[in-house]
Amino acid sequence: MEKSRKGPRIYKTLLDKDLVTAQKLEVALRFDLANESWLAETLVERFNAAMDAFETEHGVQRVKPGELLVEYRGRQVALPLLKPEWAKHLAEDRAFIRHKTRVEQATLDVLRQVDPQSGLEDVWRLVNPRALLPR
């Protein structure tokens, strides 16, 4: 395994992240509660239930964690920037550069569902504008 400059800490934490955990930690920090607080857990459960009911009632569709919602050719498209299985690979080898092509290809696949003529330049324009700069 090749070692990166940033070390193991940068991607390992991705494996522990999920929406509920992040919400509980935020509530615990804001209201000075323990990390494993019954009150924080109950508050998060009730909030998420209320959000789900609201979204169902109003036809709102939430993007998944790790997706980016963009407008492309007049349509809203959710681009996959980080899937859970990719996070596992990142945590193991600690080098995003090895996964960059996977992310670009998955994003390109989504864009081609909207416009079959889409190319990597369209991907870069949306998620990595620096790649369009002349070298």
Side-chain angles (χ1 to χ4, degrees):
M1 220 181 330
E2 183 180 319
K3 220 172 183 189
S4 72
R5 286 183 298 180
K6 299 194 181 198
R9 68 183 177 274
I10 194 164
Y11 295 119
K12 281 275 191 209
T13 58
L14 289 173
L15 299 176
D16 301 329
K17 302 276 186 207
D18 68 13
L19 179 63
V20 174
T21 303
Q23 287 174 319
K24 282 194 272 188
L25 288 174
E26 183 65 25
V27 169
L29 284 172
R30 291 216 181 244
F31 298 105
D32 198 25
L33 302 170
N35 285 347
E36 295 299 321
S37 166
W38 169 86
L39 184 59
E41 191 170 315
T42 302
L43 191 105
V44 166
E45 284 176 11
R46 288 185 181 183
F47 174 81
N48 286 336
M51 281 298 293
D52 290 342
F54 176 86
E55 289 171 350
T56 300
E57 182 180 326
H58 291 88
V60 175
Q61 189 172 6
R62 192 185 317 185
V63 294
K64 298 174 189 154
E67 290 184 341
L68 175 67
L69 186 64
V70 298
E71 187 167 318
Y72 180 69
R73 313 276 172 162
R75 289 181 49 191
Q76 287 193 335
V77 181
L79 302 178
L81 298 183
L82 183 65
K83 293 183 177 184
E85 58 270 18
W86 298 350
K88 290 176 188 171
H89 292 294
L90 277 170
E92 289 171 5
D93 66 19
R94 303 182 303 243
F96 179 75
I97 195 71
R98 294 183 186 150
H99 306 285
K100 183 178 176 183
T101 55
R102 180 182 297 137
V103 172
E104 289 175 340
Q105 187 58 50
T107 301
L108 183 58
D109 292 344
V110 171
L111 295 182
R112 283 190 173 154
Q113 291 175 4
V114 175
D115 179 3
Q117 301 302 317
S118 300
L120 277 177
E121 286 188 7
D122 296 309
V123 171
W124 295 334
R125 193 170 288 108
L126 293 168
V127 298
N128 186 15
R130 285 180 55 187
L132 296 171
L133 295 173
R135 306 252 176 216

